[in-house]
Amino acid sequence: EGNHPPQTAEVGGSVEVHRRVYGYAYKTELSSASLTKDMERGLISDVAVSFAWINGKGNLTGFDPMSSSIQQFVTYAHSKGVSVHLAVALFDSNVTKKVLVSGKEKMTAQIAAAIEAADMDAASLDFEAIPHTVQYRNLYSDFSEMLGAALHAKGLKLYHAVSQMPESNLDPVRVSNASDGLLIMGYAYAGSWSGYGWPNAPYSTGG
């Protein structure tokens, strides 16, 4: 899938099975030995470089696509068949409201340009403060469709990090239709606060 396909296998001569292992790497950890070994051993298929940020003017900040560390990491990851994504984050509710109303075009242009300049393969949006209203659900869907179209026109992909209940503040149908995948943040189902351990993503209740 994408420019750098994950490992696949054929079952019964017709069904293709994709093994996708998605990870995150902070910009300060791109040369870490553990990440390098994971890629060398084929233990990861996609890695998101974290984070680029959206500011109150709708500009992409905190990411230099031409930095030597980014260029070296992308080149090495691609040599191992690993797809590289840019994780774009926005956690402030007031900024989210502002840029969804008036900054969609600017965000789209800057995200697409940065990914293309860095020779990456996808954007991975992590907007965690979308207001729980119909207005902002629709605005985020509009933005997803705009960005998805811009990336797909360049042969690039779009993913979204979403909560265990994405319908609470976004439209899963519109967003998924505009994108190449939703990454469910299911790690908060169970932990030190729980009266039991494992699994992180139960079939029914818990966490």
Side-chain angles (χ1 to χ4, degrees), residues 175-205:
V175 170
S176 60
N177 284 343
S179 312
D180 298 279
L182 304 181
L183 309 175
I184 298 176
M185 297 183 284
Y187 42 75
Y189 270 114
S192 59
W193 59 86
S194 305
Y196 61 90
W198 311 122
N200 264 5
Y203 285 118
S204 55
T205 62

